[in-house]
Amino acid sequence: MKIAEAAKKLETTPRTIRFYEEKGLIAPKKASNGYRIYAEEEVRDLRTILALREVGLSTKEIKKALEQNDDFTEYLHTQRSMLNEEMLQIRDMMATVDRMIEVSGKAGKEEQMMDMARELKGLKEKRTHWHDRWNFDHQARDYDDNIKTTGYRFNVHQDYEEALEKVHTWVDASHEERGVDIGAGTGNLTRLFLQQGISMAVVDQSKEMLKVCGEKHPGVETRLGHFLSLPLNDQEVDFVVSSYALHHLPDEDKELALQEIDRVLSDYGRVVIADLMFKDESNRKSTLESYQEEGNDEAVEAIEDEYYADRSRLIRWWEEHGYEVKVHQFHPILHLLYAQKMERGVS
Ligand SMILES: C[S@@+](CC[C@H](N)C(=O)[O-])C[C@H]1O[C@@H](n2cnc3c(N)ncnc32)[C@H](O)[C@@H]1O
């Protein structure tokens, strides 16, 4: 068909079609009279291009995906995660504007507004500048084998299976519920819910981890995102689980992560986290000192390379936000936290 017919069929303009041709996204053949002929293949590609442009993918990304004969899933995940970050940023801005309105008629407003703007800037950086220091993409393929190795004098995966089992038991999910596993990795915890027939989404900041997880658990809903920008709608899930992931988030960001979890959790929803942490700061200090006294450098280095939580801070945040909390400790640094949202939490 000719360009006018193709444009009509696709509810677009010949000019738009020409633009995509100029950008190298489509290459229709030319008839002997010089007219471009749009075969079914070009019309199908144009349909894809128009749809992907509408949700904000760049022509460059679309071109790459078309050239690689991709199924676009990865591009759509990336786009979703970017849009989600933007949405949260707009919310943060609106909340700041509201706070600014409150002080705008008062003395000293300039300084207060500046403080608010500074806070907002910090928040924006946290939401958008997540950086994976440990290169989990690189670890994804060998992850399941590596958790079986025990380390020389410090085994972070001691009681791993037991911890995942207990998270699953404590959530006590029913079939009509839906959950999310954050920092799901290859989906070892997710599997316990899937095999029970429970609907799960998995979130991870690593595309490779999500890929491996998807291969191990075909059909599982994978979403690219991170603790401070969860790619989920408000109150979308009945429970949130996470294992061995929160300790990759700096301590000063953990409360913001709890706030994000609170946003996506339904009323009376549960959060169950199994992770490496200390009871409190004095327990962190004494544990580190005892490893140092033993000369266990492996333990000290491993702990100092990551951000084991101060459990008391997490509990305090939940209690201040209307959650009921219970805890279990497997060994000196592996803890299980259960928190149930009893009222609407923070907004
Ligand atoms: C040690 S693995 C644990 C994987 C799995 N939950 C398990 O128990 O086997 C940590 C996982 O958390 C993910 N992760 C680290 N920081 C994260 C963050 N800020 N947001 C989301 N995922 C994160 C990593 O990509 C990795 O897949």
Side-chain angles (χ1 to χ4, degrees), residues 50-323:
L50 291 167
L52 296 180
R53 284 293 294 142
E54 205 57 40
V55 292
L57 259 80
S58 69
T59 48
K60 230 186 213 168
E61 288 164 326
I62 301 173
K63 183 165 186 259
K64 225 160 120 193
L66 286 171
E67 280 167 2
Q68 292 168 355
N69 232 350
D70 248 345
D71 69 356
F72 308 111
T73 315
E74 194 175 321
Y75 295 88
L76 288 169
H77 273 302
T78 308
Q79 183 65 3
R80 195 184 196 290
S81 138
M82 255 177 53
L83 290 172
N84 188 65
E85 280 182 2
E86 280 174 23
M87 182 196 75
L88 290 173
Q89 274 178 53
I90 289 177
R91 285 188 173 194
D92 293 339
M93 281 162 75
M94 280 172 63
T96 306
V97 169
D98 285 345
R99 287 170 62 210
M100 285 181 174
I101 289 171
E102 272 176 34
V103 300
S104 60
K106 298 182 182 151
K109 57 180 174 295
E110 295 79 5
E111 206 157 306
Q112 287 183 52
M113 283 168 63
M114 196 56 224
D115 285 347
M116 290 174 195
R118 208 173 289 123
E119 215 178 285
L120 179 65
K121 194 171 171 201
L123 200 52
K124 184 175 174 181
E125 275 167 12
K126 285 180 199 292
R127 298 246 199 240
T128 53
H129 288 64
W130 163 254
H131 169 66
D132 176 359
R133 288 212 287 113
W134 299 270
N135 197 353
F136 279 104
D137 275 346
H138 188 70
Q139 297 182 33
R141 292 278 153 201
D142 298 328
Y143 179 77
D144 284 349
D145 285 335
N146 288 342
I147 50 178
K148 291 178 198 134
T149 57
T150 55
Y152 168 53
R153 296 176 69 190
F154 186 62
N155 179 14
V156 283
H157 290 111
Q158 184 189 331
D159 298 332
Y160 175 80
E161 298 291 344
E162 195 188 336
L164 302 197
E165 287 288 348
K166 207 165 184 77
V167 171
H168 175 245
T169 316
W170 274 25
V171 171
D172 193 21
S174 59
H175 280 99
E176 60 284 358
E177 288 190 310
R178 173 173 155 73
V180 61
D181 182 357
I182 307 174
T186 60
N188 295 334
L189 174 58
T190 307
R191 177 178 57 86
L192 303 179
F193 295 92
L194 292 177
Q195 66 193 16
Q196 199 195 337
I198 289 178
S199 158
M200 291 292 288
V202 302
V203 171
D204 204 287
Q205 55 85 37
S206 154
K207 287 183 183 170
E208 280 304 310
M209 283 286 190
L210 289 175
K211 214 178 259 176
V212 175
C213 183
E215 287 164 14
K216 279 174 67 185
H217 311 292
V220 71
E221 189 188 328
T222 57
R223 295 192 187 186
L224 184 66
H226 61 97
F227 273 111
L228 306 184
S229 176
L230 295 176
L232 296 160
N233 297 326
D234 294 358
Q235 304 217 340
E236 184 176 331
V237 291
D238 301 295
F239 64 89
V240 172
V241 291
S242 184
S243 56
Y244 297 84
L246 192 66
H247 67 279
H248 296 102
L249 197 64
D251 263 2
E252 65 270 21
D253 293 347
K254 288 195 172 77
E255 276 133 358
L256 185 57
L258 297 190
Q259 193 181 319
E260 250 308 78
I261 290 173
D262 179 80
R263 177 182 70 76
V264 302
L265 197 62
S266 65
D267 289 343
Y268 301 98
R270 293 91 75 207
V271 192
V272 186
I273 295 176
D275 204 4
L276 306 167
M277 59 183 85
F278 297 104
K279 277 188 193 158
D280 52 31
E281 284 310 318
S282 93
N283 178 237
R284 182 194 305 272
K285 198 163 164 266
S286 61
T287 310
L288 269 169
E289 276 167 6
S290 69
Y291 282 130
Q292 271 154 353
E293 275 159 26
E294 286 168 24
N296 190 339
D297 296 340
E298 194 181 352
V300 175
E301 277 167 26
I303 292 170
E304 288 182 344
D305 181 48
E306 294 174 334
Y307 311 102
Y308 291 23
D310 169 348
R311 191 180 89 175
S312 69
R313 269 178 74 173
L314 304 181
I315 294 175
R316 192 178 326 123
W317 190 94
W318 276 318
E319 287 180 345
E320 283 172 5
H321 291 83
Y323 282 73

